[in-house]
Amino acid sequence: MFPTEIGSRLPIVGDPLCAVAGWMRLPFWPCVAYMAVGKLLRYLVMTAVLLYLLPQPFHW
């Protein structure tokens, strides 16, 4: 329905996507669902990259 809202968590482009969605008066809950999926994907990728780059646990 509004898969572009998945990109709402991207740097630089995300805020304008949300503003345009509001301007176009897209339905609230579907947009929230797509934004949540985008945020989940963003943090899954960030976690996977950090685990790949820093595989050993920190020992302070």
Side-chain angles (χ1 to χ4, degrees), residues 1 24-25 30-31 45 48 56:
M1 207 148 113
M24 293 177 59
R25 299 183 189 263
C31 285
V45 169
Q56 302 297 320

Side-chain angles (χ1 to χ4, degrees), residues 1-2 13 19 21-24 26 28-29 31 37-38 42 44-46 54:
M1 207 148 113
F2 310 110
V13 212
W23 179 67
M24 293 177 59
L26 296 179
F28 180 74
W29 290 113
C31 285
V37 168
R42 175 185 179 186
L44 284 175
V45 169
M46 288 174 52
L54 305 169

Side-chain angles (χ1 to χ4, degrees), residues 3-35:
T4 56
E5 289 304 311
I6 290 176
S8 68
R9 291 285 127 199
L10 294 173
I12 301 171
V13 212
D15 290 334
L17 283 175
C18 294
V20 169
W23 179 67
M24 293 177 59
R25 299 183 189 263
L26 296 179
F28 180 74
W29 290 113
C31 285
V32 169
Y34 280 115
M35 288 179 196

Side-chain angles (χ1 to χ4, degrees), residues 47-58:
T47 302
V49 168
L50 284 174
L51 287 174
Y52 178 75
L53 293 176
L54 305 169
Q56 302 297 320
F58 285 105

